[in-house]
Amino acid sequence: MSERLDVDICVIGAGSGGLSVAAGASQLGQTVVLCERGKMGGDCLNYGCVPSKSVIAAARAATAMREAGKFGVAPVEPQVDYAALRAHVRGVIAAIAPNDSVERFTGLGVKVIEAGAAFTGPGELHCGAYTIKARRFVIATGSSAAVPPIPGLADVPFLTNETVFDLDQRPRHLIVIGGGPIGCELAQAHRRLGAEVTLIEALPSILTKDDPELAEFVKRRLRRDGVRLLEGAKVLRVEGRGDDLAVIVDKDGVDQRVAGSHLLVATGRRANVKDLNLEAAGVKYSPKGIEVDAHLRTTNRKIYAIGDVAGQYQFTHMAGYHAGIVIRHALFRLPAKVDYRAVPWVTYTEPELANVGMTEAEANKSGETLRILRWPFHENDRAQTERETEGLVKVIATKSGRVLGAGIVGPQAGELIQLWSLVISRKLKLGDVAKLILPYPTLGEVNKRAAGSFFIPKLFSPLTRKIVRFLAKFG
Ligand SMILES: Cc1cc2nc3c(=O)[nH]c(=O)nc-3n(C[C@H](O)[C@H](O)[C@H](O)COP(=O)(O)OP(=O)(O)OC[C@H]3O[C@@H](n4cnc5c(N)ncnc54)[C@H](O)[C@@H]3O)c2cc1C
Protein backbone atom coordinates (compact mmCIF):
# COMPACT_ATOMS: atom_id res chain seq x y z
CA MET A 1 0.00 0.00 0.00
CA SER A 2 1.42 3.38 -0.93
CA GLU A 3 1.13 6.37 1.37
CA ARG A 4 -1.12 9.18 0.08
CA LEU A 5 0.03 12.78 -0.02
CA ASP A 6 -2.23 15.72 -0.83
CA VAL A 7 -0.27 18.88 -1.64
CA ASP A 8 -0.50 22.23 -3.40
CA ILE A 9 2.34 21.62 -5.89
CA CYS A 10 4.05 18.47 -7.07
CA VAL A 11 7.23 19.02 -9.08
CA ILE A 12 8.77 16.21 -11.14
CA GLY A 13 12.49 16.64 -11.72
CA ALA A 14 15.03 18.38 -9.49
CA GLY A 15 17.05 20.15 -12.18
CA SER A 16 17.37 23.86 -12.86
CA GLY A 17 13.64 24.31 -13.56
CA GLY A 18 12.12 22.01 -10.96
CA LEU A 19 14.33 23.23 -8.11
CA SER A 20 13.42 26.87 -8.81
CA VAL A 21 9.69 26.13 -8.73
CA ALA A 22 10.00 23.99 -5.58
CA ALA A 23 12.07 26.60 -3.72
CA GLY A 24 9.81 29.49 -4.77
CA ALA A 25 6.54 27.71 -4.01
CA SER A 26 7.60 26.42 -0.60
CA GLN A 27 8.89 29.86 0.42
CA LEU A 28 5.47 31.23 -0.56
CA GLY A 29 3.86 28.89 1.97
CA GLN A 30 2.73 26.16 -0.43
CA THR A 31 2.99 22.47 0.42
CA VAL A 32 5.41 21.02 -2.13
CA VAL A 33 6.52 17.53 -3.14
CA LEU A 34 9.61 17.18 -5.35
CA CYS A 35 10.24 13.89 -7.17
CA GLU A 36 13.74 13.11 -8.49
CA ARG A 37 14.87 9.76 -9.85
CA GLY A 38 18.53 10.63 -10.42
CA LYS A 39 20.89 13.21 -8.97
CA MET A 40 19.65 16.43 -7.36
CA GLY A 41 20.66 19.34 -9.58
CA GLY A 42 19.82 17.52 -12.81
CA ASP A 43 21.84 17.80 -16.00
CA CYS A 44 23.24 21.27 -15.53
CA LEU A 45 25.03 20.48 -12.28
CA ASN A 46 25.98 16.87 -12.89
CA TYR A 47 26.32 16.26 -16.61
CA GLY A 48 26.04 19.61 -18.38
CA CYS A 49 26.93 23.24 -17.81
CA VAL A 50 28.99 22.87 -14.63
CA PRO A 51 31.28 19.97 -15.63
CA SER A 52 31.66 21.27 -19.21
CA LYS A 53 32.63 24.77 -18.10
CA SER A 54 35.03 23.25 -15.54
CA VAL A 55 36.77 21.25 -18.31
CA ILE A 56 36.83 24.36 -20.51
CA ALA A 57 38.47 26.34 -17.68
CA ALA A 58 41.20 23.66 -17.46
CA ALA A 59 41.66 23.75 -21.24
CA ARG A 60 42.00 27.54 -21.10
CA ALA A 61 44.74 27.20 -18.47
CA ALA A 62 46.58 24.69 -20.70
CA THR A 63 46.29 27.02 -23.70
CA ALA A 64 47.56 29.97 -21.70
CA MET A 65 50.72 27.98 -20.87
CA ARG A 66 51.21 26.93 -24.46
CA GLU A 67 50.64 30.43 -25.83
CA ALA A 68 52.40 32.47 -23.14
CA GLY A 69 55.17 33.36 -25.60
CA LYS A 70 53.13 36.24 -27.01
CA PHE A 71 53.49 38.00 -23.63
CA GLY A 72 57.23 37.41 -23.40
CA VAL A 73 56.67 34.58 -20.92
CA ALA A 74 58.39 31.31 -21.81
CA PRO A 75 55.74 28.94 -23.22
CA VAL A 76 55.61 25.35 -22.00
CA GLU A 77 53.72 22.30 -23.16
CA PRO A 78 51.37 21.56 -20.24
CA GLN A 79 51.36 18.14 -18.58
CA VAL A 80 47.69 17.24 -18.28
CA ASP A 81 46.65 14.64 -15.74
CA TYR A 82 43.11 13.49 -16.64
CA ALA A 83 42.54 11.89 -13.22
CA ALA A 84 43.32 15.25 -11.60
CA LEU A 85 41.14 16.97 -14.18
CA ARG A 86 38.27 14.69 -13.22
CA ALA A 87 38.90 15.49 -9.54
CA HIS A 88 38.77 19.22 -10.41
CA VAL A 89 35.40 18.73 -12.15
CA ARG A 90 34.05 16.73 -9.22
CA GLY A 91 35.33 19.36 -6.80
CA VAL A 92 33.44 22.12 -8.61
CA ILE A 93 30.24 20.04 -8.64
CA ALA A 94 30.67 19.29 -4.93
CA ALA A 95 31.08 22.99 -4.16
CA ILE A 96 27.77 23.84 -5.84
CA ALA A 97 25.81 20.71 -4.88
CA PRO A 98 24.69 21.85 -1.38
CA ASN A 99 22.48 24.52 -3.02
CA ASP A 100 20.57 21.77 -4.82
CA SER A 101 20.68 19.13 -2.09
CA VAL A 102 17.91 17.09 -0.46
CA GLU A 103 18.98 18.62 2.88
CA ARG A 104 18.54 22.19 1.64
CA PHE A 105 15.15 21.51 0.10
CA THR A 106 13.93 19.53 3.12
CA GLY A 107 15.03 22.53 5.20
CA LEU A 108 12.86 24.75 3.01
CA GLY A 109 9.88 22.52 3.85
CA VAL A 110 9.83 20.57 0.56
CA LYS A 111 9.08 16.85 0.76
CA VAL A 112 11.74 15.32 -1.50
CA ILE A 113 11.07 11.81 -2.83
CA GLU A 114 14.06 10.15 -4.46
CA ALA A 115 12.30 8.00 -7.06
CA GLY A 116 10.87 8.08 -10.57
CA ALA A 117 7.39 9.54 -10.98
CA ALA A 118 4.62 8.44 -13.34
CA PHE A 119 1.04 9.68 -13.67
CA THR A 120 -1.77 7.37 -12.72
CA GLY A 121 -4.53 9.80 -13.71
CA PRO A 122 -5.19 13.43 -14.65
CA GLY A 123 -4.65 14.68 -11.08
CA GLU A 124 -2.55 11.97 -9.49
CA LEU A 125 0.84 10.37 -9.78
CA HIS A 126 2.85 7.60 -8.27
CA CYS A 127 6.40 8.13 -6.95
CA GLY A 128 8.31 5.61 -4.87
CA ALA A 129 6.17 4.62 -1.90
CA TYR A 130 3.71 7.48 -2.45
CA THR A 131 0.58 8.32 -4.37
CA ILE A 132 0.42 12.08 -4.76
CA LYS A 133 -2.56 14.31 -5.42
CA ALA A 134 -1.77 17.97 -6.09
CA ARG A 135 -3.60 21.15 -7.06
CA ARG A 136 -0.89 21.72 -9.69
CA PHE A 137 1.83 19.54 -11.18
CA VAL A 138 5.00 20.85 -12.81
CA ILE A 139 6.85 18.53 -15.17
CA ALA A 140 10.53 19.49 -15.26
CA THR A 141 12.12 16.23 -16.34
CA GLY A 142 14.67 17.71 -18.72
CA SER A 143 16.26 15.95 -21.68
CA SER A 144 18.85 13.29 -22.46
CA ALA A 145 21.39 12.78 -25.21
CA ALA A 146 19.60 11.71 -28.38
CA VAL A 147 21.51 8.74 -29.75
CA PRO A 148 20.91 8.34 -33.50
CA PRO A 149 20.33 4.92 -35.06
CA ILE A 150 23.80 4.69 -36.62
CA PRO A 151 24.62 1.14 -37.75
CA GLY A 152 27.18 -0.41 -35.42
CA LEU A 153 26.91 2.27 -32.72
CA ALA A 154 25.15 0.01 -30.24
CA ASP A 155 28.03 -2.49 -30.51
CA VAL A 156 30.87 -0.12 -29.57
CA PRO A 157 31.59 1.77 -26.36
CA PHE A 158 30.60 5.41 -26.79
CA LEU A 159 30.46 8.45 -24.54
CA THR A 160 27.63 10.93 -24.01
CA ASN A 161 27.42 13.97 -21.75
CA GLU A 162 26.60 11.57 -18.90
CA THR A 163 29.93 9.73 -19.13
CA VAL A 164 32.44 12.01 -20.87
CA PHE A 165 33.26 13.89 -17.65
CA ASP A 166 34.33 10.62 -16.00
CA LEU A 167 37.32 10.09 -18.31
CA ASP A 168 40.39 9.57 -16.13
CA GLN A 169 42.86 9.08 -18.96
CA ARG A 170 43.43 11.29 -21.95
CA PRO A 171 41.75 9.89 -25.06
CA ARG A 172 44.35 9.21 -27.72
CA HIS A 173 41.96 10.34 -30.44
CA LEU A 174 38.47 11.56 -29.57
CA ILE A 175 35.92 11.45 -32.38
CA VAL A 176 32.99 13.75 -31.71
CA ILE A 177 29.79 13.21 -33.70
CA GLY A 178 27.73 16.41 -33.67
CA GLY A 179 28.87 19.99 -34.28
CA GLY A 180 26.37 21.81 -32.06
CA PRO A 181 27.46 23.82 -29.02
CA ILE A 182 28.13 20.74 -26.84
CA GLY A 183 30.18 18.98 -29.54
CA CYS A 184 32.20 22.11 -30.34
CA GLU A 185 32.90 23.01 -26.72
CA LEU A 186 34.09 19.52 -25.81
CA ALA A 187 36.04 18.99 -29.05
CA GLN A 188 38.05 22.17 -28.49
CA ALA A 189 38.55 21.54 -24.77
CA HIS A 190 39.90 18.00 -25.24
CA ARG A 191 42.11 19.09 -28.11
CA ARG A 192 43.61 21.78 -25.90
CA LEU A 193 44.10 19.20 -23.16
CA GLY A 194 46.25 17.20 -25.55
CA ALA A 195 43.95 14.71 -27.33
CA GLU A 196 43.73 14.32 -31.09
CA VAL A 197 40.19 15.34 -31.99
CA THR A 198 38.00 14.92 -35.08
CA LEU A 199 34.63 16.67 -35.13
CA ILE A 200 32.03 15.27 -37.54
CA GLU A 201 28.95 17.25 -38.56
CA ALA A 202 26.36 16.01 -41.09
CA LEU A 203 25.12 19.49 -42.01
CA PRO A 204 27.23 21.72 -44.28
CA SER A 205 28.47 23.64 -41.24
CA ILE A 206 28.87 23.36 -37.48
CA LEU A 207 26.88 25.70 -35.19
CA THR A 208 24.03 26.12 -37.67
CA LYS A 209 21.74 27.89 -35.17
CA ASP A 210 24.17 30.81 -35.02
CA ASP A 211 24.99 33.57 -37.48
CA PRO A 212 27.39 31.99 -40.01
CA GLU A 213 29.50 35.15 -40.15
CA LEU A 214 30.16 34.84 -36.41
CA ALA A 215 30.41 31.04 -36.32
CA GLU A 216 33.20 31.33 -38.91
CA PHE A 217 35.51 32.77 -36.22
CA VAL A 218 34.94 29.70 -34.04
CA LYS A 219 35.59 27.40 -36.96
CA ARG A 220 38.86 29.11 -37.77
CA ARG A 221 40.00 28.82 -34.17
CA LEU A 222 39.01 25.16 -33.88
CA ARG A 223 41.08 24.41 -36.98
CA ARG A 224 44.01 26.43 -35.67
CA ASP A 225 43.85 24.52 -32.39
CA GLY A 226 44.22 21.34 -34.43
CA VAL A 227 40.65 20.02 -34.34
CA ARG A 228 39.99 18.16 -37.57
CA LEU A 229 36.63 19.42 -38.83
CA LEU A 230 34.59 17.21 -41.12
CA GLU A 231 31.51 19.16 -42.13
CA GLY A 232 28.82 17.85 -44.48
CA ALA A 233 29.92 14.37 -43.48
CA LYS A 234 27.15 11.86 -43.00
CA VAL A 235 28.01 9.01 -40.65
CA LEU A 236 27.38 5.70 -42.38
CA ARG A 237 28.47 3.28 -39.68
CA VAL A 238 30.69 2.75 -36.69
CA GLU A 239 32.95 -0.24 -36.15
CA GLY A 240 35.73 -1.56 -33.94
CA ARG A 241 36.10 -2.56 -30.34
CA GLY A 242 37.70 -1.26 -27.16
CA ASP A 243 39.80 1.78 -27.95
CA ASP A 244 40.25 0.87 -31.59
CA LEU A 245 37.23 2.50 -33.20
CA ALA A 246 36.38 3.81 -36.63
CA VAL A 247 33.59 6.00 -37.95
CA ILE A 248 32.86 5.66 -41.65
CA VAL A 249 31.46 8.84 -43.19
CA ASP A 250 30.20 9.86 -46.58
CA LYS A 251 31.89 13.14 -47.45
CA ASP A 252 31.10 14.57 -50.89
CA GLY A 253 30.07 11.13 -52.13
CA VAL A 254 33.30 9.49 -51.01
CA ASP A 255 33.56 7.12 -48.04
CA GLN A 256 36.15 8.17 -45.48
CA ARG A 257 37.33 6.19 -42.47
CA VAL A 258 38.05 8.15 -39.29
CA ALA A 259 39.97 6.04 -36.79
CA GLY A 260 40.04 6.95 -33.11
CA SER A 261 40.16 5.65 -29.56
CA HIS A 262 37.01 7.25 -28.08
CA LEU A 263 33.68 8.30 -29.49
CA LEU A 264 31.48 11.08 -28.11
CA VAL A 265 27.90 11.31 -29.39
CA ALA A 266 26.59 14.87 -29.17
CA THR A 267 23.82 14.84 -31.76
CA GLY A 268 21.12 16.75 -29.94
CA ARG A 269 18.71 16.19 -27.08
CA ARG A 270 15.57 14.14 -26.54
CA ALA A 271 12.88 15.29 -24.08
CA ASN A 272 12.45 13.00 -21.05
CA VAL A 273 8.80 12.03 -21.45
CA LYS A 274 8.97 8.28 -21.85
CA ASP A 275 8.44 7.08 -18.29
CA LEU A 276 5.86 9.66 -17.17
CA ASN A 277 2.74 7.87 -18.46
CA LEU A 278 1.55 11.20 -19.85
CA GLU A 279 -1.35 9.50 -21.61
CA ALA A 280 -2.98 8.82 -18.22
CA ALA A 281 -2.75 12.52 -17.42
CA GLY A 282 -4.08 13.72 -20.78
CA VAL A 283 -0.82 15.54 -21.55
CA LYS A 284 0.07 15.74 -25.25
CA TYR A 285 3.65 15.49 -26.42
CA SER A 286 5.69 14.95 -29.55
CA PRO A 287 9.30 13.88 -30.13
CA LYS A 288 10.23 17.56 -29.60
CA GLY A 289 8.77 17.63 -26.10
CA ILE A 290 5.58 18.40 -24.19
CA GLU A 291 3.07 20.72 -25.86
CA VAL A 292 2.56 23.90 -23.83
CA ASP A 293 0.69 27.19 -24.26
CA ALA A 294 2.13 30.64 -23.62
CA HIS A 295 1.57 30.16 -19.85
CA LEU A 296 3.48 26.84 -20.04
CA ARG A 297 0.27 24.91 -19.31
CA THR A 298 0.00 21.51 -20.97
CA THR A 299 -3.16 20.09 -22.54
CA ASN A 300 -4.14 19.26 -18.93
CA ARG A 301 -4.69 22.72 -17.38
CA LYS A 302 -3.56 21.55 -13.92
CA ILE A 303 -0.19 20.44 -15.29
CA TYR A 304 2.64 22.71 -16.42
CA ALA A 305 5.83 21.73 -18.27
CA ILE A 306 9.05 23.75 -18.08
CA GLY A 307 12.69 23.66 -19.14
CA ASP A 308 14.16 21.18 -21.62
CA VAL A 309 11.12 18.90 -21.58
CA ALA A 310 9.01 21.77 -22.94
CA GLY A 311 11.18 21.71 -26.05
CA GLN A 312 12.10 25.00 -27.57
CA TYR A 313 15.09 26.64 -25.83
CA GLN A 314 17.11 24.05 -23.94
CA PHE A 315 19.19 26.21 -21.62
CA THR A 316 19.48 26.42 -17.85
CA HIS A 317 18.54 30.10 -17.84
CA MET A 318 15.36 29.28 -19.80
CA ALA A 319 14.39 26.59 -17.27
CA GLY A 320 14.80 29.26 -14.57
CA TYR A 321 12.81 31.77 -16.61
CA HIS A 322 10.02 29.21 -17.10
CA ALA A 323 9.95 28.55 -13.35
CA GLY A 324 9.26 32.25 -12.72
CA ILE A 325 6.38 32.22 -15.22
CA VAL A 326 4.80 29.18 -13.55
CA ILE A 327 5.09 30.68 -10.07
CA ARG A 328 3.41 33.89 -11.21
CA HIS A 329 0.73 32.10 -13.21
CA ALA A 330 -0.07 29.17 -10.94
CA LEU A 331 0.40 30.76 -7.51
CA PHE A 332 -0.32 34.44 -8.00
CA ARG A 333 -2.88 33.83 -10.75
CA LEU A 334 -1.20 36.54 -12.84
CA PRO A 335 -1.49 36.37 -16.64
CA ALA A 336 2.25 35.62 -16.95
CA LYS A 337 3.30 34.51 -20.45
CA VAL A 338 6.56 33.52 -22.09
CA ASP A 339 8.24 36.17 -24.20
CA TYR A 340 11.05 34.79 -26.35
CA ARG A 341 12.16 38.05 -27.97
CA ALA A 342 15.29 38.41 -25.85
CA VAL A 343 16.56 34.86 -25.32
CA PRO A 344 20.34 34.78 -25.03
CA TRP A 345 22.53 31.75 -25.69
CA VAL A 346 26.26 31.25 -25.54
CA THR A 347 28.66 28.64 -26.89
CA TYR A 348 31.66 28.60 -24.55
CA THR A 349 34.33 27.88 -27.12
CA GLU A 350 37.25 30.22 -27.55
CA PRO A 351 36.29 32.65 -28.92
CA GLU A 352 32.92 32.59 -27.15
CA LEU A 353 29.91 32.92 -29.40
CA ALA A 354 26.84 34.67 -27.99
CA ASN A 355 23.52 35.73 -29.39
CA VAL A 356 20.37 37.40 -28.14
CA GLY A 357 17.17 38.06 -30.04
CA MET A 358 17.08 37.66 -33.80
CA THR A 359 19.99 36.66 -35.98
CA GLU A 360 20.41 38.54 -39.27
CA ALA A 361 18.75 35.66 -41.16
CA GLU A 362 15.72 35.73 -38.85
CA ALA A 363 15.46 39.52 -39.01
CA ASN A 364 15.54 39.38 -42.80
CA LYS A 365 12.27 37.45 -42.67
CA SER A 366 10.63 40.20 -40.56
CA GLY A 367 10.19 42.49 -43.55
CA GLU A 368 11.85 45.44 -41.73
CA THR A 369 14.54 47.48 -43.45
CA LEU A 370 17.62 46.60 -41.47
CA ARG A 371 20.79 48.37 -40.41
CA ILE A 372 23.58 45.93 -39.59
CA LEU A 373 26.20 47.39 -37.27
CA ARG A 374 29.58 45.76 -36.78
CA TRP A 375 32.51 46.52 -34.53
CA PRO A 376 35.65 44.36 -34.51
CA PHE A 377 37.57 43.49 -31.35
CA HIS A 378 40.86 44.49 -32.95
CA GLU A 379 39.68 48.12 -32.65
CA ASN A 380 39.39 47.70 -28.86
CA ASP A 381 42.39 48.70 -26.76
CA ARG A 382 41.74 46.22 -23.96
CA ALA A 383 41.48 43.38 -26.47
CA GLN A 384 44.87 44.49 -27.81
CA THR A 385 46.47 44.45 -24.33
CA GLU A 386 45.06 40.97 -23.72
CA ARG A 387 46.12 39.90 -27.21
CA GLU A 388 42.60 38.63 -27.86
CA THR A 389 41.66 40.63 -30.90
CA GLU A 390 39.72 38.10 -32.93
CA GLY A 391 36.00 38.70 -33.00
CA LEU A 392 33.15 40.96 -33.79
CA VAL A 393 30.04 42.57 -32.37
CA LYS A 394 27.14 42.52 -34.78
CA VAL A 395 23.92 44.37 -34.02
CA ILE A 396 20.75 43.93 -36.05
CA ALA A 397 18.68 47.11 -35.86
CA THR A 398 15.79 48.69 -37.72
CA LYS A 399 16.23 51.92 -39.68
CA SER A 400 14.88 53.83 -36.68
CA GLY A 401 17.42 52.29 -34.30
CA ARG A 402 15.31 49.61 -32.61
CA VAL A 403 17.48 46.62 -31.79
CA LEU A 404 16.12 43.25 -32.97
CA GLY A 405 19.13 41.15 -32.13
CA ALA A 406 22.83 41.10 -31.36
CA GLY A 407 25.59 38.57 -31.79
CA ILE A 408 29.09 38.64 -30.39
CA VAL A 409 32.01 36.37 -31.12
CA GLY A 410 35.11 37.14 -29.11
CA PRO A 411 36.56 37.26 -25.61
CA GLN A 412 33.93 37.36 -22.84
CA ALA A 413 31.09 37.35 -25.39
CA GLY A 414 28.81 35.68 -22.83
CA GLU A 415 29.29 38.63 -20.46
CA LEU A 416 29.19 41.32 -23.15
CA ILE A 417 25.90 40.09 -24.68
CA GLN A 418 24.04 40.89 -21.46
CA LEU A 419 23.83 44.59 -22.29
CA TRP A 420 21.97 43.70 -25.48
CA SER A 421 19.57 41.46 -23.51
CA LEU A 422 18.66 44.55 -21.50
CA VAL A 423 18.41 46.74 -24.59
CA ILE A 424 16.04 44.33 -26.36
CA SER A 425 13.92 43.36 -23.36
CA ARG A 426 13.52 46.96 -22.13
CA LYS A 427 13.18 48.32 -25.68
CA LEU A 428 16.07 50.76 -25.23
CA LYS A 429 17.48 52.65 -28.22
CA LEU A 430 20.92 52.49 -29.76
CA GLY A 431 21.41 56.07 -28.56
CA ASP A 432 21.07 54.83 -24.95
CA VAL A 433 24.07 52.55 -25.47
CA ALA A 434 26.08 55.07 -27.55
CA LYS A 435 25.74 57.72 -24.80
CA LEU A 436 26.98 55.50 -21.95
CA ILE A 437 30.15 56.54 -20.15
CA LEU A 438 32.17 53.34 -19.91
CA PRO A 439 35.42 52.73 -18.05
CA TYR A 440 38.50 52.64 -20.27
CA PRO A 441 40.02 50.26 -21.25
CA THR A 442 37.31 47.61 -21.16
CA LEU A 443 36.04 45.07 -23.65
CA GLY A 444 32.53 46.47 -23.13
CA GLU A 445 33.49 49.48 -25.20
CA VAL A 446 32.92 47.32 -28.29
CA ASN A 447 29.19 47.49 -27.59
CA LYS A 448 29.23 51.27 -27.29
CA ARG A 449 31.23 51.60 -30.48
CA ALA A 450 28.91 49.28 -32.40
CA ALA A 451 25.92 51.34 -31.21
CA GLY A 452 27.72 54.59 -32.01
CA SER A 453 28.40 53.47 -35.57
CA PHE A 454 24.64 53.80 -36.20
CA PHE A 455 24.95 57.58 -35.95
CA ILE A 456 28.19 58.06 -37.89
CA PRO A 457 26.67 58.49 -41.38
CA LYS A 458 24.33 61.22 -40.08
CA LEU A 459 26.87 62.83 -37.74
CA PHE A 460 29.50 63.36 -40.39
CA SER A 461 27.14 64.01 -43.31
CA PRO A 462 27.67 67.02 -45.64
CA LEU A 463 24.57 68.63 -44.10
CA THR A 464 25.88 68.38 -40.54
CA ARG A 465 29.26 69.80 -41.67
CA LYS A 466 27.46 72.69 -43.31
CA ILE A 467 25.51 73.43 -40.12
CA VAL A 468 28.68 73.36 -38.02
CA ARG A 469 30.49 75.70 -40.48
CA PHE A 470 27.50 78.04 -40.44
CA LEU A 471 27.37 78.11 -36.62
CA ALA A 472 31.12 78.74 -36.44
CA LYS A 473 30.78 81.70 -38.74
CA PHE A 474 27.72 83.37 -37.28
CA GLY A 475 27.24 81.79 -33.86
C1 LIG B 1 27.17 19.06 -21.93
C2 LIG B 1 26.11 20.10 -21.70
C3 LIG B 1 26.47 21.40 -21.50
C4 LIG B 1 25.50 22.36 -21.28
N1 LIG B 1 25.90 23.66 -21.08
C5 LIG B 1 24.98 24.61 -20.88
C6 LIG B 1 25.37 25.94 -20.64
O1 LIG B 1 26.55 26.27 -20.62
N2 LIG B 1 24.41 26.87 -20.43
C7 LIG B 1 23.08 26.54 -20.43
O2 LIG B 1 22.23 27.42 -20.23
N3 LIG B 1 22.67 25.26 -20.64
C8 LIG B 1 23.59 24.30 -20.86
N4 LIG B 1 23.18 23.01 -21.05
C9 LIG B 1 21.73 22.71 -21.02
C10 LIG B 1 21.22 22.59 -19.57
O3 LIG B 1 21.94 21.60 -18.89
C11 LIG B 1 19.74 22.26 -19.58
O4 LIG B 1 19.06 23.20 -20.38
C12 LIG B 1 19.14 22.29 -18.17
O5 LIG B 1 19.78 21.38 -17.33
C13 LIG B 1 17.65 22.00 -18.24
O6 LIG B 1 17.10 22.03 -16.97
P1 LIG B 1 15.76 21.20 -16.65
O7 LIG B 1 15.35 21.58 -15.28
O8 LIG B 1 14.80 21.37 -17.75
O9 LIG B 1 16.20 19.67 -16.73
P2 LIG B 1 17.37 18.86 -16.01
O10 LIG B 1 18.40 19.72 -15.41
O11 LIG B 1 17.82 17.83 -16.96
O12 LIG B 1 16.62 18.14 -14.81
C14 LIG B 1 15.64 17.16 -15.03
C15 LIG B 1 15.61 16.18 -13.86
O13 LIG B 1 14.44 15.38 -13.95
C16 LIG B 1 14.75 14.06 -13.52
N5 LIG B 1 13.72 13.15 -14.06
C17 LIG B 1 13.52 12.80 -15.37
N6 LIG B 1 12.45 11.99 -15.46
C18 LIG B 1 11.97 11.80 -14.21
C19 LIG B 1 10.90 11.06 -13.66
N7 LIG B 1 10.06 10.34 -14.41
N8 LIG B 1 10.70 11.09 -12.31
C20 LIG B 1 11.52 11.82 -11.51
N9 LIG B 1 12.56 12.54 -11.99
C21 LIG B 1 12.79 12.53 -13.31
C22 LIG B 1 16.14 13.83 -14.08
O14 LIG B 1 16.80 12.80 -13.35
C23 LIG B 1 16.79 15.20 -13.89
O15 LIG B 1 17.50 15.29 -12.68
C24 LIG B 1 24.13 22.01 -21.26
C25 LIG B 1 23.75 20.67 -21.45
C26 LIG B 1 24.72 19.73 -21.67
C27 LIG B 1 24.29 18.30 -21.86
Side-chain angles (χ1 to χ4, degrees):
M1 263 291 280
S2 61
E3 192 178 326
R4 296 189 78 81
L5 295 173
D6 208 331
V7 292
D8 295 314
I9 308 270
C10 174
V11 181
I12 313 162
S16 315
L19 289 173
S20 302
V21 172
S26 68
Q27 288 174 95
L28 287 165
Q30 301 288 292
T31 49
V32 181
V33 164
L34 175 60
C35 307
E36 172 55 59
R37 70 178 178 190
K39 290 189 181 173
M40 294 292 284
D43 259 20
C44 181
L45 176 63
N46 300 292
Y47 314 111
C49 332
V50 173
S52 61
K53 270 75 250 179
S54 305
V55 170
I56 288 167
R60 194 182 313 120
T63 308
M65 291 171 73
R66 213 174 269 128
E67 296 184 352
K70 63 191 174 190
F71 297 109
V73 177
V76 280
E77 186 52 36
Q79 299 301 306
V80 180
D81 172 350
Y82 261 65
L85 170 69
R86 186 176 66 165
H88 149 66
V89 172
R90 289 188 176 171
V92 175
I93 294 172
I96 300 172
N99 287 336
D100 297 355
S101 63
V102 174
E103 293 71 25
R104 172 164 177 248
F105 278 79
T106 306
L108 288 173
V110 174
K111 165 104 184 140
V112 181
I113 305 173
E114 293 181 83
F119 286 94
T120 47
E124 192 181 87
L125 66 69
H126 189 77
C127 182
Y130 299 90
T131 297
I132 301 153
K133 269 188 181 302
R135 272 196 314 114
R136 297 281 180 272
F137 290 88
V138 180
I139 305 173
T141 49
S143 65
S144 309
V147 178
I150 298 171
L153 186 60
D155 305 323
V156 300
F158 66 88
L159 302 160
T160 68
N161 68 295
E162 288 195 23
T163 46
V164 68
F165 303 110
D166 284 335
L167 286 173
D168 61 1
Q169 280 188 357
R170 180 167 56 211
R172 188 179 75 250
H173 186 154
L174 177 67
I175 305 170
V176 180
I177 305 183
I182 296 172
C184 289
E185 287 181 4
L186 293 177
Q188 185 181 50
H190 285 284
R191 175 69 199 128
R192 290 173 159 209
L193 291 164
E196 289 289 313
V197 176
T198 302
L199 177 57
I200 301 172
E201 169 56 56
L203 294 173
S205 173
I206 59 166
L207 298 170
T208 42
K209 289 192 180 142
D210 284 278
D211 183 321
E213 181 182 356
L214 304 183
E216 193 54 40
F217 284 84
V218 177
K219 258 191 231 187
R220 269 208 301 269
R221 184 69 212 225
L222 285 173
R223 286 202 184 99
R224 212 167 68 222
D225 282 348
V227 174
R228 182 175 171 224
L229 270 188
L230 276 179
E231 295 170 302
K234 191 174 176 311
V235 176
L236 299 174
R237 63 182 189 280
V238 175
E239 53 193 38
R241 60 159 62 150
D243 64 358
D244 188 7
L245 305 173
V247 177
I248 320 301
V249 300
D250 170 358
K251 171 109 177 95
D252 305 323
V254 180
D255 286 10
Q256 280 191 32
R257 190 170 194 278
V258 181
S261 61
H262 292 71
L263 181 61
L264 169 65
V265 177
T267 45
R269 311 285 303 165
R270 182 177 42 76
N272 290 334
V273 289
K274 206 170 75 221
D275 305 324
L276 287 166
N277 197 20
L278 292 174
E279 289 76 8
V283 172
K284 275 198 188 158
Y285 64 95
S286 72
K288 285 190 178 155
I290 293 178
E291 237 178 67
V292 287
D293 66 13
H295 308 293
L296 299 170
R297 265 183 325 205
T298 66
T299 42
N300 177 333
R301 291 167 69 85
K302 287 177 108 196
I303 303 178
Y304 292 80
I306 64 171
D308 280 15
V309 78
Q312 211 171 353
Y313 292 103
Q314 296 185 317
F315 306 113
T316 289
H317 46 278
M318 292 315 285
Y321 171 69
H322 282 174
I325 302 275
V326 167
I327 296 226
R328 278 184 281 149
H329 193 261
L331 304 188
F332 289 104
R333 307 287 167 97
L334 292 168
K337 277 185 188 177
V338 287
D339 177 353
Y340 292 136
R341 275 174 307 174
V343 178
W345 69 86
V346 181
T347 301
Y348 295 88
T349 43
E350 191 190 321
E352 285 183 8
L353 175 57
N355 199 89
V356 61
M358 294 185 196
T359 59
E360 185 180 1
E362 286 163 345
N364 273 329
K365 291 182 204 146
S366 71
E368 299 256 15
T369 307
L370 303 179
R371 279 280 307 274
I372 310 293
L373 312 171
R374 293 180 176 80
W375 198 264
F377 275 85
H378 66 75
E379 290 287 348
N380 178 274
D381 292 0
R382 183 60 182 274
Q384 288 289 353
T385 65
E386 301 289 328
R387 290 195 167 267
E388 291 197 78
T389 54
E390 276 174 47
L392 184 71
V393 178
K394 180 169 173 181
V395 180
I396 321 298
T398 61
K399 244 171 69 180
S400 64
R402 187 160 53 88
V403 179
L404 302 177
I408 305 180
V409 62
Q412 306 284 334
E415 311 293 328
L416 297 174
I417 201 72
Q418 295 174 19
L419 176 70
W420 298 108
S421 296
L422 182 70
V423 168
I424 297 171
S425 61
R426 304 310 302 162
K427 300 193 172 82
L428 302 179
K429 290 281 207 165
L430 281 166
D432 295 320
V433 179
K435 278 185 246 156
L436 284 172
I437 304 175
L438 295 181
Y440 172 86
T442 51
L443 294 172
E445 290 174 286
V446 288
N447 286 331
K448 179 180 155 104
R449 298 301 291 270
S453 70
F454 180 79
F455 302 98
I456 285 174
K458 234 186 211 162
L459 191 61
F460 300 118
S461 70
L463 177 66
T464 324
R465 287 164 182 232
K466 225 182 218 169
I467 293 170
V468 171
R469 275 204 302 270
F470 175 82
L471 290 174
K473 211 164 175 183
F474 303 108

